[in-house]
């Protein structure tokens, strides 16, 4: 289990590095380079729109790779999705800007961002299921939480590279070629990830299935459509919180408040490090008290914290901003630390890769794709403190709270002395 968990963590870290480095670049530099004929606000919105395309592609990736995972096994998904995401990320770093090839530049950016999202849509389901289906029942939450640590590691890697470049390069150098370096680094990370995953065993739960679903998506839509919609709605708040903190706030503070790029990256990265460190702890609590109670607590905490978050962000001061981000991400991790055990347990093994991944990534469309765009537009119409953003995030948290309330608990009951615990 340690070797399997480490490989899954490394793989998700690498793929989310690819995904997050685009979000950071969209917040800081892509608008002027690829949409120079737009106003600063419109350029930022356009860059966030290409960022959102990756989320739209993720459910399609979960359908494509979920079919492979349910029909051919979880392990092949990990290799192909990593190759696709890594190659498209490196290619983003090679795209000429608008000043060189005109309108073809943002179009190429759009296509490559779509491919990024397609690969990441398959990655999560494969990595989580391979770990969760190997894990002992009583510690499934803990072991399957390690792929959930991967996004935090990937985020810190992506923003760490950007931070180093921001400190060492001039603004002109960063705009001319420095922003491309994090994308090129994805190629090295992809090779490392393929090496780590080359010897992973197939999921024992998959090997036990005698009758594989012929068309997993059709079965999910027919028999589990309500479950898919509820899980998507339940996860929307987590995505909205994370990308409000890591993407929208970065653009808002640097453009509207005049906070330096370095200060913002340090504040956000510090909060993400704490979030990643607490993920296994929260997962252990999920093994002890159940998945659903933690999700309900996390959603309720998020609903209460969104107005303080925007108030603390609006100070433009490092410590209050860090505390605002930390509170939001603590609510986030209370929900998402147990999701990698919760979602697979909701679906039957024969359609688990498709069902869990589609629900997870539809939540990303609802919460992650729209939040930077909507929050930027709302903040533009707000005064000194963007209360509209706080209201929007609170509304999403309440929506997710209602969806979690309608979902069942899945933590296996500890009755091993009477009968074996089932999957």
């Amino acid at each position: 289990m340690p070797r399997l968990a480490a490989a899954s963590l490394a793989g998700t870290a690498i793929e989310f590095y690819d995904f997050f480095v685009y979000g950071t670049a969209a917040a800081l530099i892509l608008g002027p380079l690829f949409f120079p004929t737009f106003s600063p606000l419109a350029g930022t919105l356009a860059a966030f729109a290409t960022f959102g395309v990756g989320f739209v592609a993720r459910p399609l990736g979960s359908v494509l790779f979920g079919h492979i995972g349910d029909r051919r096994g979880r392990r092949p998904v990990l290799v192909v999705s990593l190759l696709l995401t890594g190659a498209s990320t490196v290619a983003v770093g090679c795209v000429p800007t608008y000043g060189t090839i005109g309108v073809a530049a943002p179009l190429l950016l759009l296509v490559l961002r779509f491919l990024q999202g397609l690969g990441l849509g398959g990655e999560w389901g494969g990595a989580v299921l391979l770990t969760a289906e190997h894990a002992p029942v009583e510690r499934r939450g803990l072991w399957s939480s390690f792929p959930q640590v991967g996004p935090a590691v990937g985020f810190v890697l992506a923003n760490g590279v950007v931070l180093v470049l921001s400190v060492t390069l001039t603004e002109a150098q960063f705009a001319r070629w420095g922003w491309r370096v994090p994308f090129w680094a994805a190629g090295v990370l992809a090779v490392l990830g393929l090496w780590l995953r080359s010897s992973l065993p197939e999921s024992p739960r998959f090997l036990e299935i005698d009758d594989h679903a012929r068309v997993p998506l059709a079965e999910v839509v027919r028999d589990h459509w309500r479950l898919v919609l509820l899980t998507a709605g339940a996860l929307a708040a987590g995505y909205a919180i994370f990308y409000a903190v890591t993407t929208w706030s970065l653009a808002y503070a640097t453009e509207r408040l005049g906070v330096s790029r370095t200060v913002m990256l340090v504040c956000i990265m510090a909060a993400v490090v704490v979030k990643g460190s607490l993920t296994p702890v929260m997962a252990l609590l999920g093994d002890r008290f159940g998945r659903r109670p933690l999700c309900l607590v996390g959603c309720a905490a998020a609903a209460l914290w969104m107005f303080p978050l925007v108030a603390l962000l609006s100070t433009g001061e490092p410590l209050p901003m860090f505390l605002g981000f930390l509170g939001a991400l603590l609510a986030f991790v209370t929900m998402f630390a147990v999701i990698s055990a919760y979602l697979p347990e909701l679906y039957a093994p024969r359609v688990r890769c498709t069902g869990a991944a589609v629900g997870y990534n539809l939540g990303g469309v609802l919460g992650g794709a729209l939040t930077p765009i909507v929050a930027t537009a709302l903040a533009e119409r707000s005064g000194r403190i963007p209360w509209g953003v706080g209201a929007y995030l609170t509304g999403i948290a309440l929506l997710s709270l209602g969806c979690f309330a309608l979902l069942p608990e899945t933590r296996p009951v500890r009755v091993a002395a009477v009968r074996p615990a089932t999957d």
Side-chain angles (χ1 to χ4, degrees):
M1 283 310 306
R3 182 173 66 90
L4 189 67
S8 294
L9 189 159
T12 53
I14 291 165
E15 292 222 37
F16 275 91
Y17 167 90
D18 297 352
F19 203 73
F20 289 147
V21 78
Y22 190 99
T24 303
L28 295 177
I29 197 68
L30 295 187
L33 294 179
F34 288 87
F35 305 96
T37 59
F38 292 11
S39 68
L41 172 62
T44 300
L45 287 171
F48 280 152
T50 62
F51 174 72
V53 166
F55 285 97
V56 175
R58 282 173 63 169
L60 299 177
S62 63
V63 170
L64 172 63
F65 289 104
H67 184 91
I68 298 171
D70 285 324
R71 294 281 299 168
R72 304 296 179 189
R74 322 307 193 197
R75 187 172 174 271
V77 170
L78 301 182
V79 175
V80 180
S81 63
L82 184 60
L83 278 172
L84 177 60
T85 309
S88 56
T89 304
V90 173
V92 169
C94 300
V95 175
T97 61
Y98 186 95
T100 304
I101 60 173
V103 73
L107 291 177
L108 283 172
L109 208 60
L110 203 66
V111 170
L112 293 171
R113 180 60 177 172
F114 182 87
L115 294 176
Q116 262 192 333
L118 205 65
L120 192 61
E123 157 67 23
W124 185 87
V128 164
L129 289 189
L130 199 63
T131 309
E133 292 180 339
H134 272 93
V137 172
E138 68 277 6
R139 283 290 178 263
R140 184 181 293 145
L142 172 64
W143 288 114
S144 61
S145 73
F146 283 91
Q148 291 295 85
V149 179
V153 176
F155 180 85
V156 171
L157 280 175
N159 285 268
V161 172
V162 174
L163 179 60
V164 170
L165 292 168
S166 297
V167 171
T168 57
L169 300 179
T170 65
E171 288 290 333
Q173 289 172 327
F174 185 79
R176 189 165 61 251
W177 58 267
W179 69 271
R180 299 181 183 274
V181 174
F183 292 95
W184 294 336
V188 178
L189 294 175
V191 172
L192 174 62
L194 290 172
W195 174 74
L196 286 170
R197 290 179 165 182
S198 61
S199 60
L200 291 181
E202 183 52 81
S203 158
R205 194 70 185 91
F206 173 80
L207 297 174
E208 293 171 3
I209 301 172
D210 296 322
D211 183 23
H212 296 283
R214 185 175 180 82
V215 184
L217 178 63
E219 195 167 317
V220 168
V221 172
R222 184 184 68 240
D223 299 334
H224 304 291
W225 63 270
R226 183 175 179 273
L227 184 58
V228 169
L229 293 179
L230 282 176
T231 53
L235 299 179
Y239 277 104
I241 292 166
F242 189 83
Y243 287 100
V245 168
T246 61
T247 302
W248 168 74
S249 68
L250 181 59
Y252 176 78
T254 54
E255 294 174 7
R256 289 282 300 274
L257 304 179
V259 182
S260 78
R261 183 191 304 153
T262 301
V263 168
M264 284 304 299
L265 289 172
V266 169
C267 289
I268 295 170
M269 286 169 61
V272 171
V273 167
V274 176
K275 186 272 293 185
S277 302
L278 289 178
T279 299
V281 177
M282 292 298 180
L284 272 174
L285 293 177
D287 281 331
R288 176 67 179 86
F289 299 106
R291 326 300 190 204
R292 185 169 167 268
L294 262 71
C295 293
L296 292 172
V297 169
C299 275
L304 294 172
W305 189 250
M306 294 302 97
F307 284 108
L309 167 65
V310 297
L312 291 168
L313 171 64
S314 297
T315 66
E317 296 296 327
L319 182 58
M321 290 192 299
F322 166 73
L323 293 175
F325 300 153
L326 182 61
L329 292 183
L330 289 178
F332 167 86
V333 76
T334 305
M335 290 181 274
F336 268 56
V338 297
I339 287 301
S340 51
Y342 193 19
L343 260 63
E345 289 170 346
L346 287 168
Y347 292 89
R350 57 186 272 118
V351 295
R352 181 173 286 163
C353 197
T354 300
V358 169
Y360 183 84
N361 287 299
L362 279 177
V365 176
L366 294 174
L370 296 176
T371 293
I373 300 171
V374 174
T376 299
L378 289 173
E380 184 65 19
R381 296 180 175 88
S382 300
R384 187 179 63 85
I385 301 177
W387 296 121
V389 178
Y392 170 75
L393 294 173
T394 301
I396 295 180
L398 292 174
L399 168 67
S400 294
L401 183 65
C403 291
F404 274 124
L406 295 173
L407 288 171
E409 177 55 76
T410 62
R411 180 174 60 100
V413 180
R414 297 175 184 274
V415 290
V418 179
R419 59 180 174 81
T422 56
D423 189 59

